[in-house]
């Protein structure tokens, strides 16, 4: 019997004791225990004369017995105990519950005799080596994992277990060996599994802890050091912790304990900081095209893998834990990681470092799924201010940076937009659109109209450059991808409607339900339609949680009209709080900066400012000329970047310390490239000179859009101008603190009106902005009856528009820096690298998929009439088309290059498809690639990537199709928000 | 009133009329032959359209897409209108042809179930108004007793894009059964009877309704997978569908709950401030 038991035990198999009389088992168990006790007592130092071998001497007495009690334990005795114990444990494990859940007799005996505690003391009595610990830990592992009756409810079982755990935790001899740790974590993991199944044990764990004099949750505390551990141990520890987290959701005591008495959350959050600090500060960028960390990138970086593991764990904790823990953790991540670590990292000194941080941030956001954690990251980006500039503004301004920082920033925004987060979209775009200042008043009612007849789609497609027109040169690829749509019937119908009528008596009603006509349908367009439908549906479904439809009525534009004005000062906080008084008074006012720059440049990029110098000067001449406040920093950055690119040189401004290095580098590279850059950007002008009347882009527009950065630039200047005027007034009349800009403005007007000495001119000029705007709109509203299209709008004479935009000064409609930057980069499409264009078009296509009428109408409704200062996507595309037309006209080999580039792109597609997980925006048209692959097209000639115009032309044509498809799908999906 | 009805009817057929509706041969059991049986369009819905519409200045190859989507947009408008008692379904083979059925719930034509087909001109929306042809000519002043075609044109003398929509045509097709108009009839007999002998008119209507309903279970006139066909109640087939239809009313709520919501919002309704919702996680 014993041998059988022993064998069973050794094999780790649960040997069936069925048929063995429980009483026999009990007897065996007791016998074993008696043997064990003998040995135990023999060596018990606390025992005096009672021992089995009981000599009558005192503790300090004769060597023989004393050496038994205090000396080392002979090996044979130790192994005897071990053998007995193994048998006993097996018997205990195999014992069934008594009746009605009572203890079985062996367990009862174990409890009565305090067997486990005595065994633990025995192991202490021996040298408590790692081996002993491991032996004990394994013993409990086995018991807990395999016992057939609940053991942990009994204090005599629990107490020695806790003692064991304590001894493993606070070992003064330094860190335990990794084997002990492995066993410890395994046991803890098991205990947590038991807890998860039977929360009633939880109480006992707490109480037992109290007995130990520490009101802590030992299991939990023991796990904390392993949170950020690599490998299996770390994983098991995190799994175990997650079980406890899940428990905390339903158990307030646990939650309260963890939140109030443990360092769980701080450890977790600061651990992120620690792990972050070991990440490479600069990435080895594989190629120029690289713009975000894909799986295969970060898997190469162990430190990053470890960070992501911990981040994932945070995510999981937040998902399952009690709200109090969740909130605490989220708070610590915000205040212990994002603000002190990530924010400075985003403002490091070198371009590479900033770029790396941006790529990390993008990766982190993509790795996080739990809304509360996303909330933390997003509110950090949207609301946190570093050096009084919102992170978001800094990030937006960086889109305009040349090189990889700009591209990586674009990739980050692609991620942000793909979250379908109302708050993000609100800050980036909607808050600028809500007031509806960007459109003519008359257009507001058509804002929600759907494009029933695909007019906009047609207009987008009509921008297809002539060199890409399928009608003119159907490239070989196109032929492959087209289907000939002809009447399939051989018998009856061979022709058009007329012939049908003539021929067919069958055509009884004259209904031409099927018209065969030989048309090559662009099959790729079907795929665009399909993708567009999916994209829009998905977006609509996601946006159902949004608070408002953003349809031009809700939120009501009237209520937020003034907020556009405040925009310059960033609505959310009082303006003054952003700037120290010191800065306000001594910083070089932007006005001076502007006037310091060559007049020529100004003319180019600031028509609103420049057009009305006479109106500005009286103000300047006023004796109490206020010191204009600086524009918001992000605007300054925009402007600065723009200046750099326009001029090809870096204009240093002393107040920017942080990014100086970054931009210095930019400037150096920029200076090298400036010649070509400038050349590219000035091309449209030449085009305009030659083709003033051709195409949808008019001279007014092309001259306006002299440089790619133009749009962002002039917008920023407009905004700055606005800001400046606002601050002029507020400075004069009252403290800038508190009230919003608008109120201050109105206050000023009243003050001015009341002052007899104030020039009447000022009064009339400084009409309330809303009045101005209304006047403006009324006037334009009237005009808008005749010109229905944006082209018509822009074709107004420069003399007609300039004074107007000048006169309204501060209320120049602005669609926000993000849209401006995107469109200005898009306008530069022809000279952008391929991957930049892929990102840009990807982002814009994603934006166009948003169902909110405000955004949809702004991007896709080609019939909308916008304010002259607002550039629409359509206008920008028209400008790009013109550049392309110009280019193709001047380059004889363009058609061949185009065809070759198409081949190259399709090959690129299929190779990407093989190697990567799909990433929105990286694809042109996925299914196309498959077909190409099947057709085994090899590029005849490889078009070098620096032929950006060629690639841009291909991409542009595809982008038009994509936009048209999205516009078409919007027209039929708008009514099925919940349809699936 | 009666005197000028015929002349007017002829007047109305303007120059375009000839082309759109030539002499109408009896509907008979003949199927519209213009549907190619072996047509295998790449998408089932993609309707081919002839016109190399360069109205937008775009390439002709996109013409079919514009037409297709215009018609789909019309269809979504019809759905949105929730016209009482009217059901339509574009045909499988062409978006230019819609099958419909109309249920009349009260009035002279009560209990009538009239199947019809809508034919949309291929130069839609710049052509004539769509035509509505009842499968069985209903006895009605405005329905041609031979072809079953409803006089739609009188309500839409000039089809104007953006202003006129197909749901209006369907609405009109319903209205004629509730408000009888005898002006310029296509069926003079019906018009005269309605004016002179309402009782006889009523009995003729009852006969006509009976006739229509007796053909209810007939095979659809047009062989198309999406043609509307009726079959007698069969619990094994229909019970489940019926339950689904009744359950559908509750669906939107459950439906929303079940779906994983991928979007995010912490904007308090009525606010335009990000993270303005109060149940924000603490940011201390």
């Amino acid at each position: 019997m014993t041998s059988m038991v022993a064998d069973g035990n050794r094999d780790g198999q649960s040997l069936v004791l069925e048929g063995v009389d429980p009483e026999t088992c009990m007897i065996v168990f007791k016998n074993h225990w008696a043997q064990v006790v003998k040995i135990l007592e023999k060596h018990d130092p606390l025992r005096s004369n009672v021992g089995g071998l009981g000599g009558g001497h005192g503790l300090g007495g004769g060597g023989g017995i004393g050496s038994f009690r205090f000396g080392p334990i002979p090996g044979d005795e130790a192994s005897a105990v071990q053998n007995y114990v193994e048998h006993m444990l097996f018997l205990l494990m195999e014992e069934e519950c008594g009746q009605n859940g009572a203890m079985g007799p062996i367990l009862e005996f174990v409890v009565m005799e305090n067997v486990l505690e005595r065994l633990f003391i025995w192991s202490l009595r021996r040298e408590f080596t790692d081996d002993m610990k491991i032996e004990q830990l394994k013993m409990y592992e086995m018991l807990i994992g395999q016992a057939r009756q609940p053991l942990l409810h009994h204090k005599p079982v629990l107490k020695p277990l806790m003692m064991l755990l304590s001894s493993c935790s606070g070992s003064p001899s330094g860190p335990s060996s990794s084997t002990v740790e492995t066993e410890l974590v395994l046991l803890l993991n098991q205990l947590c599994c038991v807890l998860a199944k039977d929360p009633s044990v939880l109480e006992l764990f707490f109480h037992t802890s109290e007995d130990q004099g520490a009101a802590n949750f030992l299991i939990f505390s023991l796990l904390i050091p392993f949170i950020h551990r690599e490998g299996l141990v770390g994983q098991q520890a995190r799994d175990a912790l997650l079980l406890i987290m899940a428990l905390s959701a339903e158990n307030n005591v646990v939650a309260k304990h963890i939140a109030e008495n443990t360092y769980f959350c701080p450890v977790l959050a600061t651990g992120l900081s620690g792990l972050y600090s070991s990440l490479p500060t600069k990435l080895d960028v594989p190629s120029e095209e690289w713009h975000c960390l894909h799986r295969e990138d970060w898997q190469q970086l162990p430190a990053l893998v470890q960070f992501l593991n911990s981040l994932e764990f945070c995510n999981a904790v937040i998902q399952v834990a009690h709200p109090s823990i969740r909130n605490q953790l989220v708070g610590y991540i915000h205040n212990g990681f994002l603000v002190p670590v990530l924010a400075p990292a985003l403002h490091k000194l070198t371009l590479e470092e900033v770029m790396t941080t941006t790529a990390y941030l993008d990766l982190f956001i993509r790795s996080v799924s739990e809304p509360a954690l996303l909330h933390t990251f997003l509110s950090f980006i949207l609301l946190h201010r570093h050096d009084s500039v919102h992170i978001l503004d800094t990030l937006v301004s960086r889109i305009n940076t040349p090189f990889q920082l700009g591209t990586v920033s674009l990739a980050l925004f692609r991620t942000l937009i793909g979250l379908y987060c109302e708050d993000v979209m609100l800050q980036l775009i909607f808050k600028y659109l809500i007031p509806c200042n960007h459109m003519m008043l008359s257009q507001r009612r058509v804002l929600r109209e759907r494009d029933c007849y695909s007019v906009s789609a047609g207009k987008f497609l009509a921008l297809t450059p002539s060199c890409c027109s399928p009608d003119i040169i159907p490239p070989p690829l196109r032929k492959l991808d087209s289907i000939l749509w002809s009447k399939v019937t051989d018998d009856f119908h061979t022709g058009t409607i007329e012939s049908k009528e003539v021929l067919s008596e069958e055509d009884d009603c004259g209904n031409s339900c099927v018209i065969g006509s030989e048309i090559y349908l662009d099959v790729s367009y079907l795929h665009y339609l399909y993708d567009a439908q999916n994209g829009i549906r998905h977006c609509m479904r996601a946006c159902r949680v949004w608070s408002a439809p953003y349809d031009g009525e809700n939120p009501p534009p009237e209520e937020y009209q003034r907020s556009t004005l405040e925009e310059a000062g960033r609505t959310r906080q009082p303006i003054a709080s952003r700037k120290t008084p010191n800065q306000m008074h001594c910083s070089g006012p932007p006005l001076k900066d502007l006037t310091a720059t060559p007049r020529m440049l100004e003319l180019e990029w600031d028509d609103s400012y420049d057009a009305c110098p006479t109106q500005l000067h009286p103000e300047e001449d006023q004796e109490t000329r206020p010191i204009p406040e600086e524009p918001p920093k992000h605007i300054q950055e925009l402007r600065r970047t723009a200046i750099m690119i326009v001029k090809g040189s870096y204009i240093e401004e002393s107040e920017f310390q942080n990014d100086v290095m970054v931009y210095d580098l930019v400037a150096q590279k920029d200076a090298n490239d400036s010649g070509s850059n400038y050349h590219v950007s000035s091309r449209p002008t030449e085009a305009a000179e030659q083709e003033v009347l051709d195409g949808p882009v008019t001279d007014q527009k092309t001259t306006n859009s002299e440089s790619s950065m133009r749009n962002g630039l002039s917008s920023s200047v407009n905004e700055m101008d606005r800001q400046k005027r606002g601050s002029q007034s507020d400075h004069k009349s009252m403290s800038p603190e508190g009230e919003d800009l608008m109120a201050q403005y109105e206050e000023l007007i009243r003050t001015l009106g009341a002052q007899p000495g104030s020039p009447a001119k000022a009064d009339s000029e400084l009409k309330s902005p809303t009045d101005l705007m209304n006047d403006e709109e009324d006037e334009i509203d009237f005009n808008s009856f005749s010109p229905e299209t944006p082209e018509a709008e822009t074709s107004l004479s420069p003399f007609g528009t300039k004074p107007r935009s000048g006169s309204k000064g501060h209320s120049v409609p602005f669609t926000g820096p993000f849209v401006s930057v995107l469109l200005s980069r898009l306008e530069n499409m022809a000279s952008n690298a391929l991957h930049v264009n892929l990102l840009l078009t990807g982002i814009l296509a994603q934006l166009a998929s948003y169902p909110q009428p405000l955004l949809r109408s702004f991007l896709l409704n080609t019939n909308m009439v916008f304010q002259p200062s607002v550039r629409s996507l359509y206008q920008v595309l028209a400008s790009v088309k013109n550049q392309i037309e110009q280019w193709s006209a001047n380059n004889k080999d363009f058609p061949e290059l185009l065809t070759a580039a198409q081949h190259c792109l399709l090959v690129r597609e299929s190779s990407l498809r093989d190697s990567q997980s799909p990433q929105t925006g990286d694809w042109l048209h996925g299914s196309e690639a498959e077909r190409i692959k099947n057709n085994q097209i090899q590029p005849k000639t490889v078009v070098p990537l620096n032929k950006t115009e060629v690639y841009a032309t291909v991409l542009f044509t595809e982008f038009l199709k994509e936009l048209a498809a999205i516009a078409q799908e919007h027209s039929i999906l708008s009514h099925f928000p919940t349809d699936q | 009133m009666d005197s000028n009805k015929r002349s007017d009817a002829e007047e109305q057929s303007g120059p375009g009329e000839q082309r759109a509706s030539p002499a109408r041969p009896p509907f008979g059991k003949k199927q519209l032959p213009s549907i190619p049986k072996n047509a295998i369009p790449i998408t089932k819905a993609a309707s081919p359209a002839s016109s190399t519409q360069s109205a937008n200045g775009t390439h002709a190859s996109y013409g079919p897409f514009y037409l297709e989507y215009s018609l789909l947009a019309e269809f979504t408008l019809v759905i949105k209108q929730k016209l009482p008692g009217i059901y339509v379904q574009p045909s499988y083979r062409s978006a230019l042809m819609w099958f419909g059925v109309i249920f009349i719930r009260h009035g002279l034509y009560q209990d009538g179930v009239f199947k019809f087909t809508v034919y949309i001109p291929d130069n839609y929306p710049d052509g004539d108004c769509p035509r509505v042809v009842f499968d069985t000519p209903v006895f009605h002043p405005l329905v041609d007793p031979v072809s079953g075609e409803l006089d739609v044109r009188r309500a839409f003398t000039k089809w104007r894009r953006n202003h006129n929509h197909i749901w209006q045509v369907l609405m009109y097709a319903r209205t004629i059964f509730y408000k009888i108009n005898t002006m310029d009839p296509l069926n003079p007999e019906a018009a005269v009877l309605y004016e002179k002998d309402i009782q006889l008119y009523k009995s003729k209507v009852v006969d006509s309704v009976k006739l229509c309903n007796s053909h209810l279970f007939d095979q659809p006139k047009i062989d198309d997978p999406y043609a509307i066909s009726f079959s007698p109640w069969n619990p094994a087939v229909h019970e489940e569908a019926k339950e689904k239809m009744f359950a559908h009313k509750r669906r939107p709520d459950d439906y929303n709950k079940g779906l994983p919501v991928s979007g995010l919002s912490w904007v308090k309704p009525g606010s335009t401030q990000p993270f303005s919702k109060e149940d924000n996680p603490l940011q201390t």
Side-chain angles (χ1 to χ4, degrees), chain A residues 392-393 395-397 399-400 409-417 424-425 427-430 432 570 634-635 638 711-712 715 719 814-825 839-840 843-844 847 850 855 858-859:
Chain A
L392 183 72
D393 297 332
L395 294 174
V396 167
S397 71
I399 294 176
N400 237 353
S409 301
L410 271 179
L412 171 66
F413 278 98
R414 181 181 63 188
T415 302
L416 288 176
I417 286 166
V424 170
M425 292 298 288
Q427 287 301 89
L428 276 182
I429 297 171
F430 280 115
Y432 302 97
R570 305 296 293 180
H634 69 285
I635 298 301
L638 269 181
N711 191 26
S715 309
E719 173 137 30
F814 183 46
T815 49
F818 182 62
V819 168
S820 293
V821 161
L822 279 186
L823 290 184
S824 63
R825 288 213 72 165
L839 271 170
L840 275 174
I843 288 173
L844 282 163
L847 287 178
Y850 272 88
L855 184 52
F858 174 65
L859 290 177

Side-chain angles (χ1 to χ4, degrees), chain A residues 335 422-423 458 485 506 511 969, chain B residues 33 48 58 69 131 265 275 284:
Chain A
N335 297 324
E422 181 175 9
D423 307 64
W485 197 286
E506 298 99 338
N511 297 309
E969 287 294 335
Chain B
T58 50
Y69 274 75
R131 300 166 53 221
S265 171
F275 306 108
T284 45

Side-chain angles (χ1 to χ4, degrees), chain A residues 258-420:
Chain A
I258 293 173
E260 292 175 7
N261 300 329
T262 76
Y263 290 110
F264 177 69
C265 294
V267 165
L268 200 45
T270 52
L272 285 181
S273 298
L275 292 173
Y276 185 88
S277 67
S278 58
L279 295 183
T281 49
K282 291 175 191 176
L283 289 171
D284 289 331
V285 172
S287 70
E288 282 251 328
E289 282 199 33
W290 180 89
H291 53 265
C292 75
L293 283 159
H294 289 292
R295 174 176 287 272
E296 56 271 20
D297 296 328
W298 58 257
Q299 275 177 340
Q300 307 297 316
L301 301 167
L304 195 48
V305 171
Q306 211 185 333
F307 183 93
L308 288 178
N309 280 340
S310 289
L311 186 63
E312 192 187 319
F313 179 63
C314 290
N315 192 59
V317 167
I318 287 166
Q319 188 171 25
V320 297
H322 188 272
S324 63
I325 298 175
R326 186 181 67 204
N327 292 346
Q328 199 185 35
L329 178 56
V330 154
Y332 274 110
I333 289 177
H334 186 265
N335 297 324
F337 169 59
L338 294 176
V339 171
V341 176
L342 206 57
L346 280 170
H347 295 80
K348 285 244 178 90
L349 288 185
T350 70
L351 196 66
E352 286 91 344
E353 282 174 309
V354 171
M355 184 202 79
T356 302
T357 314
T358 309
Y360 287 151
L361 178 58
D362 172 51
L363 175 64
F364 299 160
I365 292 174
R366 280 186 283 127
S367 311
V368 161
S369 64
E370 200 44 37
L373 191 50
L374 273 173
H375 176 281
T376 317
F377 272 90
L378 295 177
S379 67
F380 165 70
I381 292 175
L382 266 54
L383 302 182
H384 179 68
R385 271 169 285 142
H386 187 85
D387 279 353
S388 74
V389 181
H390 283 93
I391 301 280
L392 183 72
D393 297 332
T394 307
L395 294 174
V396 167
S397 71
R398 285 180 183 157
I399 294 176
N400 237 353
T401 324
F403 331 114
Q404 247 151 336
L405 176 57
T407 333
V408 170
S409 301
L410 271 179
L412 171 66
F413 278 98
R414 181 181 63 188
T415 302
L416 288 176
I417 286 166
L419 293 174
Y420 306 111

